[in-house]
Amino acid sequence: MMHVAGGVYLEYCSDPHWEELYGSGGRAAAAVSSLSNRVVLHTYVSKQHSGTLDVLAATFGYQVNSTEISFTPSFTYTHGFSEPVIRPPCIDPQAAPSLRVEGDNILRFGFLEGDAIVNGDYVVYDPQSGSNPRPFSENGSSASHLAIVANQREIVLLTGETDIRQASYQILKGHGAEVVVVKRAAAGAYVVAQSGEAVIPVFRTEKVWPIGSGDVFSAIFAYYWAERRIDPVEAARKASLATALYCSSQVLPIPENPENFPGFLPTPMTVEEWSPTASGPSVYLAGPFFTMSARWLIREARAALQDQGMSVFSPFHDVGYGTATDVAPADLKALEESRAVLAILDGLDAGTLFEVGYARARGIPVIALAENVSDGDLTMLTGTGCRIVSDLSSAIYHTVWTALGA
């Protein structure tokens, strides 16, 4: 049996289109609903959306123990890597009474609209806060065996230590955890336990849908480590594979053997000593910047790559407008020094196509974002080994993987 304490939120995304009621708690309960023999979701929900949540629970086969609140929070994304707009913009987590959960196996997420005080035997805690993650026991929660699963930013904020390895060991010593799992996005995961440490591979897929991927990872890890009591390294590997399936297909619940899912062809990639820094592998960002929409896309792509630890050369940002004799040499020098190129092809800008050809002539790999380009216009790119993708999130992940040597 698995208890899940986590939020249920409305989620909207413009590209690719997405409009669902999930949130960390709802998605986690759905993810493990076919694995665990019983799943109970402890959450908050407004009267307006309680019926929808009941339908989802019946569909996936989990139970709901909910506390009513006046407004279900929503997250609105422009794309998979964008910062969400959260409504209502100011949420008082103390306005709602804290949930109280007791059980043998518990997955606890951080909340926007409240809190969960849990007491369990095996507990997994995912703080779910990029600005102010709270220590597990701060609210009175307790666990006989505790695993903390968090992303790199949360690990740094919890400890004040920028070295991820040192920060993980600091959490082992100072937060009462037996296991620390660091989610490293495109680089997989890192596990530190009392028995040792391990790097967990990321599984490369053609399509990548990142919204909610961390929820799925935490849920599957919790099922295998807490409920099945298997080794944390193997539990994290299973979680990584399950997350790849979700990212490639958005399928829920997660099956027992994701590798057998039709059309799922994951490629494991292990990134040993790497964590995001401003001086990471160099990526050349090629694309037109002569309209407001084009400049917006360049800015979004650049920010997403930098968030993944890439050192990005953007002609728009790093050279700007100028004469041909000034612009071309600077751009080509940076291009020659790059590990990978992300080329934005919509509009078939002549300068961008030249940069793609120049890169391929020198053996530099190219990932091409082509949302509205005909197959005929892509013949030379496809024929010279460029990887063609149709959405920004997948393009970012494939560029990072390529720059890291996958």
Side-chain angles (χ1 to χ4, degrees), residues 58-122:
T59 300
F60 286 107
Y62 61 82
Q63 297 174 244
V64 177
N65 182 5
S66 64
T67 296
E68 185 175 320
I69 54 176
S70 59
F71 192 94
T72 301
S74 68
F75 287 66
T76 301
Y77 302 82
T78 305
H79 55 80
F81 273 100
S82 65
E83 285 293 324
V85 175
I86 302 174
R87 292 189 176 88
C90 297
I91 302 174
D92 181 5
Q94 298 180 344
S98 294
L99 307 177
R100 295 187 176 271
V101 181
E102 294 188 1
D104 290 337
N105 315 306
I106 302 173
L107 168 59
R108 173 193 159 196
F109 290 102
F111 283 87
L112 279 178
E113 70 281 35
D115 201 5
I117 301 171
V118 307
N119 303 99
D121 188 11
Y122 277 74

Side-chain angles (χ1 to χ4, degrees), residues 216-242:
V216 173
F217 184 99
S218 294
I220 301 304
F221 176 84
Y223 168 70
Y224 282 107
W225 179 77
E227 185 167 339
R228 293 279 297 273
R229 309 289 167 87
I230 74 170
D231 177 78
V233 172
E234 179 60 15
R237 192 199 69 82
K238 287 179 176 291
S240 183
L241 181 60

Side-chain angles (χ1 to χ4, degrees), residues 256-316:
E256 180 75 36
N257 298 300
E259 61 274 18
N260 295 334
F261 191 83
F264 181 49
L265 300 172
T267 302
M269 170 189 169
T270 301
V271 181
E272 294 286 348
E273 299 296 327
W274 181 80
S275 61
T277 67
S279 58
S282 178
V283 171
Y284 187 96
L285 178 56
F289 47 85
F290 307 110
T291 65
M292 184 178 72
S293 58
R295 289 189 293 272
W296 176 87
L297 184 53
I298 288 289
R299 292 189 184 102
E300 293 293 298
R302 178 174 180 257
L305 287 168
Q306 289 175 332
D307 284 346
Q308 294 294 310
M310 299 295 102
S311 177
V312 182
F313 181 90
S314 162
F316 172 57

